[in-house]
Amino acid sequence: MKSITHKGVIAAALSLTILTACGKQEDPVPQIEVIIIEPSVIVIETLETKPWTDQDVQAIALTLAGECYNDKVYDKRRVCEVILNRVSDGSWGDTVLEVLASSSQFNGYWKQNRPVSENDMEVAEQALSDWYANGCEALSDYLYFCAGENRENTFRSEY
């Protein structure tokens, strides 16, 4: 939390405007909270922003509902890794949505076998958090998967 005079508020508002105008559309806009303590002291607090979008989380969660059984949390995590590893690789697209919508790749994105669960959303968000914390580098070697035994997918790094 930073205390500044009201001249500082004008500077902060101008900075926020410049950030919004110059940033890429997919870049998150910083969220701020302005608290006026007295006319000459204003507190500006930067709120936490996430580098991924709600659309990314929802798209991954839809895919999990189409590709994994709800009780197979570790399987869900590995499907997330395949998706994000493919974004890192760039051969299937440069964004989560491009990778998921690639032709003949993630049937579960288009057709779900069950409703999206709260756990699907949690697993998707945690995987995105880990991926961004890792500098958007691959989280494992997995780039492919197919249905396997025991209601789990089989994962591999080569086709």
Side-chain angles (χ1 to χ4, degrees):
M1 200 177 289
K2 182 178 177 185
S3 296
I4 59 174
T5 65
H6 86 248
K7 284 183 185 177
V9 170
I10 294 169
L14 181 58
S15 295
L16 184 57
T17 302
I18 291 168
L19 281 171
T20 303
C22 298
K24 296 179 190 174
Q25 280 190 343
E26 63 268 10
D27 288 344
V29 176
Q31 300 293 314
I32 62 169
E33 180 179 7
V34 177
I35 303 167
I36 301 173
I37 296 176
E38 56 186 67
S40 63
V41 179
I42 297 172
V43 175
I44 296 181
E45 184 175 311
T46 304
L47 304 175
E48 180 184 344
T49 58
K50 298 173 184 173
W52 58 87
T53 66
D54 289 342
Q55 190 177 20
D56 291 335
V57 175
Q58 291 166 355
I60 293 172
L62 275 174
T63 305
L64 297 179
E67 302 286 0
C68 306
Y69 287 92
N70 197 40
D71 63 329
K72 302 292 185 176
V73 179
Y74 191 64
D75 198 50
K76 292 179 189 182
R77 170 57 189 226
R78 287 185 275 174
V79 169
C80 291
E81 289 177 12
V82 169
I83 295 164
L84 296 172
N85 292 348
R86 286 183 176 197
V87 177
S88 296
D89 181 86
S91 297
W92 290 270
D94 295 326
T95 67
V96 168
L97 293 175
E98 286 177 8
V99 165
L100 291 173
S102 291
S103 179
S104 302
Q105 295 303 309
F106 292 92
N107 187 50
Y109 174 67
W110 303 103
K111 182 180 178 190
Q112 293 72 50
N113 298 319
R114 60 177 175 77
V116 172
S117 69
E118 185 63 34
N119 182 257
D120 294 328
M121 300 292 283
E122 292 166 0
V123 171
E125 188 149 4
Q126 184 60 56
L128 283 161
S129 177
D130 294 345
W131 185 64
Y132 275 96
N134 194 42
C136 299
E137 295 295 323
L139 294 169
S140 66
D141 293 331
Y142 300 132
L143 290 171
Y144 306 94
F145 69 94
C146 61
E149 296 180 15
N150 196 26
R151 302 181 315 129
E152 292 179 347
N153 294 308
T154 302
F155 297 85
R156 57 188 188 280
S157 57
E158 295 181 17
Y159 191 72

